Amino acid sequence: MNTPQGSAGAQAGERQAGGADPAFVIVTGMSGAGRSTAAKALEDLGWFVIDNLPPGLLFAMAEEAGKVKLAADKVAAVVDVRSLAFTTDLNAAIEELEGRGVRVRVVFLEASDEELVRRFENVRRPHPLQGEGRLVDGIARERGILREVRANADLVIDTSSHNVHDLRNKIVAYFGGEDRPGLRVNVVSFGFKYGLPVDADLVVDCRFLPNPHWVPELRPMNGLDAAVRDYVLGQPGAKEFLDAYEEVLRVVAAGYTREGKSYATLAVGCTGGKHRSVAMAEQVAGRLRDRGMEVQVSHRDVGRE
């Protein structure tokens, strides 16, 4: 497809030829999951953000951004489910943008049904797709409509356990330095008994290691304490696992980079998310940093017991 002279696609191509890596970011996801907070965080970082933009107008927005010479990696649109035929419209809009040479990145915000219900009840507002039904009916309908969008998203952020400050900090961590190259990795430890992190790209299980919970002097500590760390790393198989997983991540990270994936979440689990997963997550993060990757670490379930 030929791109009109002066359009966003042509200007994006010029930027890419110059070695930059521009991206038009689309923020979408479940109603109540934090889209407005994410948009405000991006604006505070100097991004040009349009809220509640119908998918059919995405290319027009990118084109106008190009005309006024806005940096392509500082333009974002917030799109929600209220647009009719949302999934079809959004997918078609993304295809058009990419066909014109604009690299698109989709950020999907989500939360558990229970948390979404609580948030809607707190603000005493109906769900936009609720109609005459119950709140949970609107949430279920929205999940169905957004299923394909979520599956194809570049970055999924689960805000179930995040307040507005946590989400803002995560957006700043991901988008505060778009000029820095390479894959950005979030390593999160968790407890299987509290459920899998829904935004994880890769999940590993550390329950093959002896549990420090059964060592009385270690039970009140967590994996950030030196005594627990040394105990976990001293177990048979711990170093072998880290060596093997580091090699797996080297291959995966190279593939993600080739496919244009900029962000990845690695989840490291044990039973309660307090001892083994915390210690091993810190080790995985350290090894990735040694490889030059940008890494942040969070420990979802520490303090839950």
Side-chain angles (χ1 to χ4, degrees):
M1 182 181 297
N2 292 329
T3 305
Q5 186 68 26
S7 71
Q11 294 194 25
E14 291 169 5
R15 292 188 188 100
Q16 288 173 323
D21 192 21
F24 183 94
V25 172
I26 297 173
V27 179
T28 187
M30 297 295 294
S31 300
R35 291 190 308 259
S36 296
T37 298
K40 291 176 182 176
L42 288 171
E43 287 178 344
D44 290 344
L45 290 171
W47 286 57
F48 180 75
V49 182
I50 295 292
D51 202 355
N52 294 331
L53 189 71
L57 297 180
L58 285 172
F59 180 74
M61 175 185 168
E63 191 171 39
E64 289 302 311
K67 288 178 182 177
V68 297
K69 302 186 185 304
L70 291 171
D73 61 353
K74 291 289 187 179
V75 178
V78 180
V79 181
D80 67 33
V81 77
R82 286 172 290 183
S83 173
L84 295 177
F86 175 92
T87 303
T88 301
D89 286 349
L90 183 56
N91 288 339
I94 291 172
E95 289 177 3
E96 181 179 18
L97 284 165
E98 292 180 335
R100 302 279 187 116
V102 180
R103 187 171 65 90
V104 180
R105 289 290 169 261
V106 178
V107 177
F108 190 97
L109 301 179
E110 88 137 279
S112 67
D113 287 2
E114 295 78 8
E115 180 61 21
L116 292 175
V117 168
R118 186 188 68 80
R119 292 176 186 178
F120 275 104
E121 288 180 342
N122 282 346
V123 296
R124 299 182 180 180
R125 296 183 62 188
H127 188 279
L129 298 183
Q130 182 175 340
E132 298 299 320
R134 300 179 303 160
L135 180 56
V136 291
D137 297 329
I139 293 172
R141 184 181 176 196
E142 185 176 33
R143 283 203 191 280
I145 293 173
L146 297 179
R147 186 174 292 114
E148 185 177 353
V149 177
R150 185 193 186 283
N152 294 325
D154 298 281
L155 174 63
V156 178
I157 301 177
D158 178 18
T159 69
S160 300
S161 60
H162 293 353
N163 59 35
V164 293
H165 305 294
D166 295 331
L167 177 55
R168 174 184 168 77
N169 289 339
K170 183 158 282 192
I171 293 295
V172 170
Y174 282 124
F175 296 104
E178 283 290 304
D179 57 323
R180 288 172 292 187
L183 183 71
R184 295 181 189 180
V185 180
N186 177 42
V187 180
V188 56
S189 68
F190 73 97
F192 278 96
K193 71 179 183 179
Y194 300 115
L196 292 172
V198 298
D199 53 350
D201 295 292
L202 297 170
V203 178
V204 292
D205 185 355
C206 292
R207 290 175 295 182
F208 69 92
L209 297 170
N211 193 346
H213 175 82
W214 303 114
V215 180
E217 61 269 26
L218 299 180
R219 183 176 300 178
M221 301 179 186
N222 64 54
L224 296 175
D225 293 306
V228 174
R229 179 196 64 216
D230 294 344
Y231 176 87
V232 171
L233 296 181
Q235 298 303 317
K239 182 180 183 302
E240 291 82 354
F241 167 82
L242 288 169
D243 291 342
Y245 193 46
E246 181 181 3
E247 180 60 21
V248 168
L249 293 179
R250 182 190 66 78
V251 176
V252 170
Y256 279 165
T257 300
R258 287 193 301 271
E259 292 300 310
K261 185 175 177 65
S262 302
Y263 322 100
T265 296
L266 313 181
V268 182
C270 64
T271 303
K274 179 180 179 181
H275 295 111
R276 293 165 291 180
S277 63
V278 174
M280 296 296 274
E282 290 286 339
Q283 293 299 308
V284 169
R287 289 183 177 222
L288 294 179
R289 289 193 186 102
D290 289 344
R291 288 184 171 271
M293 296 186 189
E294 183 179 339
V295 184
Q296 57 177 331
V297 186
S298 59
H299 302 297
R300 190 190 72 177
D301 297 326
V302 168
R304 257 181 113 158
E305 292 185 344

